[in-house]
Amino acid sequence: MGDVVSIKDLTFAYCNQKNTLCEINAQIHKGDLITLLGPNGVGKSTLLNCITGLLPVQKDTIKLNNHDIILLKIKHIAQTIAYVPQIIQNNFDYTIWDYVTLGRTAHKNIFEQPCEMDYKIAGEALDKLNIRHLQTKSFNEISGGEQQQVCIARAIAQQPKLILLDEPTSALDFDNQIKVLNLTKKLSELGYAVLMTTHNPDHSLLLNSTVWILGRDGRMTVGSSDELITEKTLRGLYASEIYVSEILSANRKICFVNKL
Amino acid sequence: MIKSAKGYAILIASLLISLFFIIAISLSVGIYGVPFWQTVKIIFSFFGSEQTWTNTMEIVIMNVRLPRVIAAVLIGCALAIAGASYQGVFQNPLVSPDVLGVSAGATVGAATAILFGFSHYLNMVFAFLGGLLAVGLCMLLPALTGKKSILALVLSGIIVGGFLSSILGLIKYLADPYSQLPAIVFWQMGSLSKVTYSSLVVAAPLIIICCVFLFLMRWRINALSLNDREAQSLGIHLFKERSLVIVFSTILTAVSVSISGTIGWLGLTMPHFARLIVGDNNVKVLPLAGIISAIFLIAVDLLARNLTGAEIPLGIITGFLGAPLFAFLLIRQRKIG
């Protein structure tokens, strides 16, 4: 039972509404790379919020390192799970150094300041992503792609077992999307479990990841990208005519639509 | 902008030296002038030095001016640190004890206590309750409308502030025009002239304790100043930690109001001034804003005492200086919105 996260029969509904999530079962192990797909509004964020303990779930449905999540403090959850948000501008502008150091919050008590060790860990996180040169810049002045990398560096500084990325590619140009995808692959190779939500099924194929597909009925299918990224499932999930074909020149399967 | 740790240390050290000098100047200057070096000697007289000054000098400095200057340091610090902390936990650079209606709430509380003839201590308690009520209402409105933006909070501050000023108007209308009304009006405009050691005995420890706690939490406030989702994912217990910061900041504001009345603008402008110098990191902003604000308030009080024969209320001078200063800072920063 070396699961970082195990989800068993998770059903969740916002008050007075029908079930958003219905009998979900899944596990996340060390080094897993998972893409979470699903149409807009099916509850991908709800699922992420359940896993991070922000929504009240039933007893024994979600376990973190074998501990029931409802018994864990937010601080302890944050020591296991780091969250990389969609990029938004903050009202305050911190330097990259200060921003990444904030990843240490979960390891400090309320009246503590970061110590030498914390700064060392923050520095190492920057080094891992080769963005040490950004450290004195301020968060709001760097590019979107760099902001995404800085957020990932902060997640690394948090020293978690699982890193959640909420649509990390959505605000990025094509080149930066590829960079971030490469980065998620690298993170899983470094031993972190990685779970990212995405709107592009091709990302699952590119990463050759485990795939979680959340359907409109609130049920989730789990499988490999080979099994699940097929014309049949994608057409069931989205309304468009989607094709999945092996492209010889790219030496991989690719997911596309016909000429508009 | 000063980015290095060394530069920051030098800045703080030189400001502390300036603070000492302005304290000494403020103690020397007044209707009864005392030579500067005599003042310095009197301050350090408890180390045991030969008396080279008259007894009158000592009484003027130690009993009349010193409590006032101590109050200026404490209140200056308190309002700036409260302002910076509010700005952090509300994730909003445009809030302050004034904007959130905390000062107005505390003033209403203090005025109520005056109206009912309560003691000085109850006055403080009422000021705190009034301040807490105001900040609570301020938080409630955006929550009820479901809008969470910088403007929503500022607008609800205006609403709460407007309502409180009506209550204050009512209290003034009901107050005895010969004894209570002047006291309330005095409170509203802010002054350090009625500060005595006996009012400092309670106020000083409260201000120091709250400042120390906020000082210790200043790195935490950085995490709280990100959006809620982000702060929680970093391991912050939002409700607990935010409430703690709000309570400490509100005590600071209320205690200040209860001994000096409403001194506006410090809580908004001083943290911004500090941010302009060292950036937004609250680890550096909180101490810096506190020291700058203490220096600024002593200077303002010095002007208030000496500009004319009669004393000018502090709130008037901080308004004259603070409003243009804030306009200047807004133009410099441009990024607020």
Side-chain angles (χ1 to χ4, degrees):
Chain A
M1 287 287 279
D3 300 344
V4 178
V5 177
S6 94
I7 307 171
K8 202 179 135 220
D9 293 331
L10 171 69
T11 297
F12 182 86
Y14 290 100
C15 48
N16 304 327
Q17 283 175 8
K18 69 180 179 69
N19 287 348
T20 310
L21 304 174
C22 192
E23 288 172 31
I24 285 175
N25 286 287
Q27 280 82 39
I28 304 175
H29 311 96
K30 187 171 183 287
D32 275 359
L33 179 54
I34 302 162
T35 46
L36 172 56
L37 287 169
N40 274 331
V42 292
K44 294 193 294 291
S45 301
T46 307
L47 180 58
L48 292 193
N49 288 342
C50 286
I51 296 177
T52 41
L54 296 182
L55 291 170
V57 294
Q58 266 139 3
K59 194 168 171 288
D60 283 332
T61 49
I62 300 182
K63 286 191 173 172
L64 244 57
N65 303 321
N66 273 331
H67 298 289
D68 191 352
I69 197 164
I70 59 173
L71 301 175
L72 291 173
K73 287 184 179 161
I74 198 103
K75 177 178 171 174
H76 295 130
I77 296 171
Q79 288 171 359
T80 307
I81 304 179
Y83 170 81
V84 178
Q86 292 183 38
I87 296 303
I88 35 159
Q89 292 274 312
N90 287 310
N91 293 331
F92 294 101
D93 200 9
Y94 296 111
T95 63
I96 303 312
W97 183 250
D98 293 334
Y99 197 80
V100 173
T101 309
L102 284 178
R104 302 301 301 156
T105 308
H107 300 272
K108 297 275 140 185
N109 74 38
I110 187 165
F111 296 123
E112 247 178 320
Q113 307 292 318
C115 61
E116 277 309 308
M117 193 63 195
D118 297 309
Y119 289 120
K120 194 166 155 265
I121 292 167
E124 285 166 1
L126 286 170
D127 286 338
K128 261 184 195 162
L129 306 188
N130 296 320
I131 49 170
R132 186 63 101 133
H133 58 281
L134 294 176
Q135 68 180 21
T136 55
K137 296 217 167 125
S138 76
F139 190 80
N140 290 349
E141 75 177 317
I142 59 176
S143 73
E146 288 169 331
Q147 287 178 337
Q148 193 61 266
Q149 291 182 55
V150 167
C151 287
I152 293 172
R154 189 183 66 186
I156 292 175
Q158 204 166 331
Q159 296 182 316
K161 290 191 174 139
L162 166 63
I163 298 178
L164 299 179
L165 299 102
D166 194 4
E167 290 174 34
T169 55
S170 61
L172 302 182
D173 65 34
F174 195 62
D175 191 40
N176 276 312
Q177 288 188 19
I178 305 303
K179 269 190 192 154
V180 166
L181 289 178
N182 263 318
L183 209 52
T184 55
K185 202 176 173 80
K186 192 176 154 194
L187 288 175
S188 77
E189 284 160 7
L190 286 170
Y192 300 100
V194 177
L195 169 59
M196 63 176 265
T197 63
T198 176
H199 283 300
N200 190 343
D202 207 37
H203 289 165
S204 311
L205 291 170
L206 262 174
L207 291 169
N208 192 22
S209 67
T210 305
V211 180
W212 291 5
I213 291 181
L214 199 55
R216 293 185 200 276
D217 55 359
R219 289 174 192 277
M220 196 169 82
T221 323
V222 176
S224 70
S225 56
D226 267 342
E227 289 163 16
L228 288 186
I229 306 298
T230 60
E231 289 174 3
K232 187 164 164 277
T233 43
L234 291 180
R235 286 177 192 182
L237 200 60
Y238 304 105
S240 311
E241 282 281 281
I242 300 170
Y243 298 89
V244 178
S245 283
E246 187 81 29
I247 299 292
L248 284 173
S249 57
N251 195 23
R252 71 174 184 94
K253 276 207 283 188
I254 195 166
C255 168
F256 61 97
V257 290
N258 267 344
K259 209 170 145 185
L260 300 176
Chain B
M1 199 152 86
I2 295 171
K3 280 184 175 172
S4 73
K6 199 178 154 199
Y8 181 72
I10 293 171
L11 175 70
I12 292 288
S14 47
L15 282 172
L16 284 175
I17 295 168
S18 319
L19 177 65
F20 171 78
F21 275 104
I22 197 158
I23 287 174
I25 291 168
S26 178
L27 289 172
S28 306
V29 180
I31 297 166
Y32 183 89
V34 178
F36 183 77
W37 289 112
Q38 292 288 15
T39 309
V40 175
K41 280 185 192 165
I42 294 173
I43 300 174
F44 290 111
S45 63
F46 54 83
F47 290 125
S49 58
E50 201 183 328
Q51 184 164 345
T52 56
W53 52 87
T54 64
N55 286 337
T56 323
M57 284 182 185
E58 187 167 338
I59 289 169
V60 166
I61 286 178
M62 298 308 277
N63 293 359
V64 180
R65 291 186 193 150
L66 191 59
R68 203 172 162 148
V69 171
I70 292 174
V73 173
L74 290 174
I75 291 167
C77 237
L79 290 174
I81 286 180
S85 306
Y86 279 133
Q87 287 167 8
V89 295
F90 285 113
Q91 302 157 0
N92 186 336
L94 289 185
V95 301
S96 72
D98 322 86
V99 176
L100 290 169
V102 185
S103 304
T107 308
V108 166
T112 311
I114 294 174
L115 189 68
F116 291 113
F118 291 153
S119 73
H120 187 72
Y121 300 117
L122 267 179
N123 191 323
M124 231 176 247
V125 173
F126 268 63
F128 171 68
L129 293 177
L132 205 58
L133 189 71
V135 73
L137 286 174
C138 247
M139 289 163 74
L140 190 66
L141 271 175
L144 286 179
T145 54
K147 289 190 179 116
K148 196 185 173 299
S149 68
I150 288 188
L151 272 183
L153 192 64
V154 173
L155 284 177
S156 76
I158 292 173
I159 295 171
V160 172
F163 185 69
L164 287 168
S165 79
S166 298
I167 297 181
L168 192 63
L170 182 69
I171 294 173
K172 279 156 83 175
Y173 180 73
L174 294 174
D176 179 84
Y178 297 102
S179 59
Q180 294 171 331
L181 189 59
I184 293 171
V185 171
F186 160 85
W187 234 276
Q188 230 185 328
M189 294 197 291
S191 167
L192 292 169
S193 66
K194 296 209 172 155
V195 173
T196 57
Y197 282 122
S198 66
S199 56
L200 282 178
V201 168
V202 182
L206 274 174
I207 288 179
I208 291 168
I209 289 168
C210 291
C211 281
V212 166
F213 273 118
L214 288 172
F215 177 80
L216 289 174
M217 286 184 77
R218 68 199 194 282
W219 183 60
R220 248 5 218 202
I221 294 174
N222 283 352
L224 280 160
S225 78
L226 306 173
N227 70 70
D228 290 359
R229 179 71 176 88
E230 236 177 320
Q232 282 176 312
S233 73
L234 290 174
I236 295 269
H237 193 297
L238 268 188
F239 179 77
K240 193 174 87 185
E241 301 189 23
R242 183 179 286 155
S243 309
L244 209 55
V245 172
I246 290 173
V247 166
F248 286 136
S249 306
T250 306
I251 294 176
L252 284 179
T253 311
V255 172
S256 302
V257 166
S258 74
I259 57 174
S260 70
T262 325
I263 300 172
W265 290 99
L266 290 180
L268 184 61
T269 52
M270 293 300 136
H272 276 277
F273 202 34
R275 291 207 172 92
L276 200 64
I277 302 170
V278 293
D280 281 344
N281 185 354
N282 287 302
V283 171
K284 292 177 179 169
V285 167
L286 250 72
L288 183 61
I291 298 172
I292 296 178
S293 179
I295 294 174
F296 184 76
L297 190 55
I298 295 175
V300 167
D301 186 49
L302 196 61
L303 287 177
R305 284 191 287 129
N306 296 301
L307 224 46
T308 60
E311 287 220 6
I312 305 170
L314 291 182
I316 293 174
I317 301 181
T318 56
F320 267 125
L321 296 174
L325 177 65
F326 191 60
F328 167 74
L329 293 176
L330 270 184
I331 296 163
R332 275 293 301 265
Q333 288 187 317
R334 283 163 196 270
K335 63 184 179 185
I336 293 172

